[in-house]
């Protein structure tokens, strides 16, 4: 069904409003955006990385025997659920970098646990290639997380571990496996410190232990509410499309 607009005298004027047609006013003055404050999920995410890294590192160092693979897999498996929860909450807090990092960490614990539990053929070699893929991901993430030094530092110490684990799985070299285990304990120490520092900061509403934020990450913590709401209308969840 087509409708013709009434003719105008000069030809350049806008057509008159059609009978029964309703034009909405500018709704910006009546628009309200509600924000939902949440507790920071990052300490949980970093503590989970630390605990899982200790367990896998001890297995690689030979502190646990080969018969402990199943037990270690069971202890690491909950890390998948916990870090997936952290990622979900981080997306809700509008922190796409932290959410992406935690989601990928969550996705790394699940295949590790399932392969260790199932004893799949060539499982270690497959995990080796998987860790090299994580190495590429981590290299890209390190380029965008530098202002968030807590995340950047965890990635920085995870990169050599992913490299050692990947090469150990592919080549079967025992010294690479031991190196990966030692690096896993380093990752655990860094993640544990970061989690503790973030928790103290959240409890006291001020930085207690140095984390090294800079740029936008520093302004986000030290700035006032006006800084937090800057460009809010352009953020995901508010704008119409991602």
């Amino acid at each position: 069904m087509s409708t013709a607009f009434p003719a105008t005298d000069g030809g350049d004027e806008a057509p008159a409003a059609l009978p029964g047609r309703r034009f909405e006013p500018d709704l910006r003055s009546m628009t309200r955006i509600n924000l939902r404050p949440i507790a920071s999920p990052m300490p949980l995410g970093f503590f989970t990385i630390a605990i899982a890294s200790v367990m896998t590192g001890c297995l690689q160092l030979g502190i646990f025997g080969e018969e402990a693979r199943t037990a270690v897999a069971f202890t690491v498996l909950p890390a998948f659920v916990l870090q997936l929860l952290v990622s979900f909450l981080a997306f809700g807090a509008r922190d796409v970098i932290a959410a992406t990092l935690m989601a990928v960490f969550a996705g790394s614990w699940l295949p590790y646990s399932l392969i260790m539990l199932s004893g799949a053929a060539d499982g270690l070699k497959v995990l080796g290639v998987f860790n090299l893929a994580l190495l590429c991901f981590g290299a890209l993430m390190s380029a965008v997380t530098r202002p968030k030094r807590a995340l950047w530092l965890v990635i920085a110490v995870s990169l050599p571990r992913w490299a050692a684990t990947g090469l150990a799985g592919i080549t079967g070299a025992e010294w690479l496996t031991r190196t990966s285990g030692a690096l896993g304990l380093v990752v655990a120490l860094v993640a544990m410190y970061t989690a503790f520092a973030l928790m103290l900061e959240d409890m006291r509403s001020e930085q207690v232990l140095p984390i090294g934020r800079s740029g936008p990450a520093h302004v986000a913590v030290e700035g006032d509410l006006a800084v937090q709401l800057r460009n809010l209308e352009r953020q995901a969840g508010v704008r119409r499309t991602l």
Side-chain angles (χ1 to χ4, degrees), residues 59-64 66 69 124 164 167-169 171-182:
L59 180 63
Q60 291 174 313
L61 286 171
I63 297 175
F64 301 139
E66 288 297 315
R69 284 181 179 272
L124 293 179
L167 293 175
T171 64
E174 187 67 22
W175 70 272
L176 283 173
T177 300
R178 299 286 190 247
T179 301
S180 176

Side-chain angles (χ1 to χ4, degrees), residues 65-116:
E66 288 297 315
E67 66 278 1
R69 284 181 179 272
T70 301
V72 170
F74 273 120
T75 59
V76 171
L77 186 58
F80 162 72
V81 179
L82 292 175
Q83 291 203 268
L84 194 62
L85 173 63
V86 171
S87 174
F88 176 79
L89 294 174
F91 275 120
R94 299 177 294 134
D95 193 333
V96 66
I97 293 177
T100 301
L101 180 65
M102 289 297 165
V104 173
F105 266 110
S108 69
W109 299 126
L110 182 60
Y112 173 86
S113 299
L114 294 180
I115 289 176
M116 291 295 103

Side-chain angles (χ1 to χ4, degrees), residues 102-152:
M102 289 297 165
V104 173
F105 266 110
S108 69
W109 299 126
L110 182 60
Y112 173 86
S113 299
L114 294 180
I115 289 176
M116 291 295 103
L117 287 172
S118 65
D122 287 332
L124 293 179
K125 185 172 292 187
V126 171
L127 285 177
V129 176
F130 180 70
N131 276 275
L132 292 180
L134 286 176
L135 176 64
C136 298
F137 159 79
L140 294 175
M141 287 293 293
S142 66
V144 298
T145 57
R146 188 172 294 274
K148 302 170 72 70
R149 292 297 173 85
L151 289 175
W152 180 84

Side-chain angles (χ1 to χ4, degrees), residues 219-238:
V219 173
V221 174
E222 301 296 334
D224 57 18
L225 184 60
V227 174
Q228 307 303 310
L229 301 180
R230 187 179 299 166
N231 295 326
L232 182 63
E233 68 275 9
R234 297 182 180 88
Q235 295 185 11
V238 178

